[in-house]
Amino acid sequence: MSPKFLRIAVVLGLLSAIGPFAIDMYLPALPSIGADLKAGTAAVQMSLLIFFLSMGFGQIVVGPISDIVGRKLPLYVGLALFMVGGVGSAMAPSIEWLIAFRFLQGLGASAGMAVPRAIVRDLHTGNEAAKLMSLLMLVFSVSPILAPLTGSQIIESFGWRAVFWTVTGAAALATILLATSLKETRSAEERANSSFGTALAGYRYLMSDRNFLGLTAIAGFGIASFFVYLSSSSFILIDHYGLSPSVYSVFFSINAVAFIGMSQLTGMLADRFGLKRVVWVAVTGYATVMVALFAIMASGVDRLDVMAGLLFVGYGFLGLVIPTTSVLAMEEHGEIAGTASALMGTLHFAIGALAMGVAGLFDGTPLPMVAGITLCAVISFMLAKLTLGRAREAVEAPAE
């Protein structure tokens, strides 16, 4: 694996992680934000939900723009918006202002979500793309490990507002890396054939492509299951189980370790078994583990160690689902990679935001959260069965 390959993975991973970093680092602060701004749980969760919505739907615009003007300019603009939103959030005098600036911050983060996937498709396809995507996710997934731990320490020492100053600094660092370590991957000749008209035509074509939509939805409901955990876990682990913000951060990070570790096996498993078989086995394993967890907790077992252990195993399977489905969905859409990446990301976040909205109605106990995660996992499994066909028909030959 060449140094250039690794450098690109690191830069793209950091750009992709800016948005999630602004989520994961912020999670331990949710209870204290509510207390400081005199806001209820639903209003505080809205500041999280609005970030997801703007980050998700902003991709619809930024993806085609990256096809038209190139990949780097939208990233620069996105990072600038993110920093303005970060400063505003740090100085917000009320929950309403915080929600408004989080919306702006999410718009900026949308560029970091959509454009790096398009750059991967610009550079590679097939198993090589899967390897680059898994490395990108290695860097990307550092966020849910380090961000909650860092966030809890910052919150305890300096208060929740310091979290937003920190993520603004991270965006400034990402801007420097973008300028110095990443070349434009969308050539002038390719940009000449792109316009908003071709973007609209591309969206119409993609919305009629069952394979693209199916693969996107498989990952979308997998991600949604994590979003359910994301929006509810701080209240359940801190309020229901009585953990401190620091210990909560450790529990939250454990799932990221499983996700990261398994995602790094994507390239090796794809070389040996093929991408479709990896998707099928991973989705099946994830759904099985989540159904088992729900059955155990529905029987009356309310134990943190049981929930944490099975979530660890389940999110390990999920770590194989996300990179493989992304590569397969974009495989045949290189000419409109930015548009395809945008629609994929928007659908992922739309599904996730819907799941988070429903999760906001939960009562703060573990069983409803586990039920929501399980439902998403089962839907992902059913979509895999429909999209990939019967298991035997879904298997593709290993690459030679």
Side-chain angles (χ1 to χ4, degrees):
M1 194 173 294
S2 68
K4 179 181 178 182
F5 194 90
L6 290 172
R7 184 181 72 251
I8 292 171
V10 169
V11 175
L12 294 181
L14 288 173
L15 289 168
S16 300
I18 290 297
F21 195 74
I23 298 167
D24 301 332
M25 196 171 180
Y26 164 78
L27 291 177
L30 293 180
S32 58
I33 288 173
D36 186 34
L37 298 182
K38 298 178 175 58
T41 299
V44 175
Q45 286 184 321
M46 179 56 68
S47 70
L48 182 62
L49 177 60
I50 201 69
F51 183 91
F52 274 108
L53 288 172
S54 61
M55 184 164 63
F57 287 100
Q59 296 179 60
I60 282 287
V61 177
V62 76
I65 289 176
S66 76
D67 283 340
I68 297 168
V69 305
R71 309 302 187 201
K72 294 188 71 172
L73 180 59
L75 286 170
Y76 283 125
V77 174
L79 287 166
L81 284 175
F82 182 91
M83 286 186 280
V84 171
V87 171
S89 295
M91 301 176 68
S94 67
I95 191 65
E96 291 79 12
W97 277 107
L98 178 62
I99 290 171
F101 280 114
R102 286 289 279 172
F103 176 82
L104 183 63
Q105 194 180 38
L107 283 180
S110 67
M113 299 303 297
V115 178
R117 283 193 301 264
I119 292 174
V120 171
R121 180 56 185 81
D122 289 341
L123 297 173
H124 299 286
T125 59
N127 292 351
E128 285 300 305
K131 291 174 183 176
L132 180 55
M133 191 72 74
S134 64
L135 279 174
L136 184 155
M137 292 188 71
L138 173 61
V139 181
F140 172 87
S141 298
V142 167
S143 172
I145 292 179
L146 295 183
L149 294 170
T150 305
S152 63
Q153 293 300 317
I154 290 174
I155 292 162
E156 290 177 2
S157 301
F158 304 104
W160 64 267
R161 295 179 187 274
V163 167
F164 292 106
W165 292 114
T166 303
V167 298
T168 300
L173 174 61
T175 304
I176 295 171
L177 290 173
L178 173 62
T180 59
S181 302
L182 189 67
K183 294 182 179 180
E184 178 60 58
T185 59
R186 180 81 168 169
S187 69
E189 293 78 10
E190 292 169 322
R191 297 198 296 269
N193 296 323
S194 299
S195 66
F196 285 108
T198 61
L200 290 174
Y203 280 134
R204 287 195 297 270
Y205 171 69
L206 291 168
M207 289 300 292
S208 67
D209 185 341
R210 289 187 176 185
N211 185 63
F212 174 84
L213 292 176
L215 288 163
T216 297
I218 291 168
F221 278 96
I223 292 170
S225 69
F226 185 71
F227 284 0
V228 171
Y229 179 73
L230 199 68
S231 64
S232 304
S233 61
S234 62
F235 296 101
I236 290 172
L237 296 183
I238 293 174
D239 294 338
H240 180 76
Y241 287 114
L243 302 184
S244 68
S246 297
V247 177
Y248 159 73
S249 300
V250 173
F251 271 83
F252 186 85
S253 301
I254 287 172
N255 294 321
V257 171
F259 186 95
I260 292 172
M262 291 301 293
S263 70
Q264 296 314 295
L265 300 178
T266 300
M268 180 190 71
L269 293 174
D271 283 339
R272 183 167 182 178
F273 301 109
L275 287 169
K276 288 183 180 178
R277 183 183 291 221
V278 173
V279 173
W280 176 251
V281 172
V283 169
T284 302
Y286 184 45
T288 301
V289 172
M290 291 302 101
V291 168
L293 175 59
F294 175 72
I296 290 170
M297 298 202 74
S299 71
V301 176
D302 185 5
R303 290 179 49 179
L304 179 57
D305 57 343
V306 172
M307 184 177 72
L310 289 176
L311 284 174
F312 178 85
V313 175
Y315 286 134
F317 281 113
L318 187 61
L320 293 174
V321 174
I322 309 305
T324 49
T325 51
S326 297
V327 170
L328 284 170
M330 295 186 63
E331 189 77 19
E332 299 178 0
H333 303 299
E335 293 182 0
I336 53 170
T339 301
S341 177
L343 182 57
M344 178 190 301
T346 298
L347 291 175
H348 284 173
F349 278 89
I351 296 169
L354 177 62
M356 286 180 66
V358 174
L361 302 175
F362 294 169
D363 61 3
T365 58
L367 186 59
M369 180 189 75
V370 171
I373 293 172
T374 303
L375 179 60
C376 290
V378 170
I379 292 174
S380 187
F381 167 78
M382 294 171 64
L383 287 167
K385 192 172 182 65
L386 289 172
T387 303
L388 302 178
R390 295 179 181 176
R392 298 295 181 268
E393 296 173 358
V395 176
E396 69 178 10
E400 295 181 0

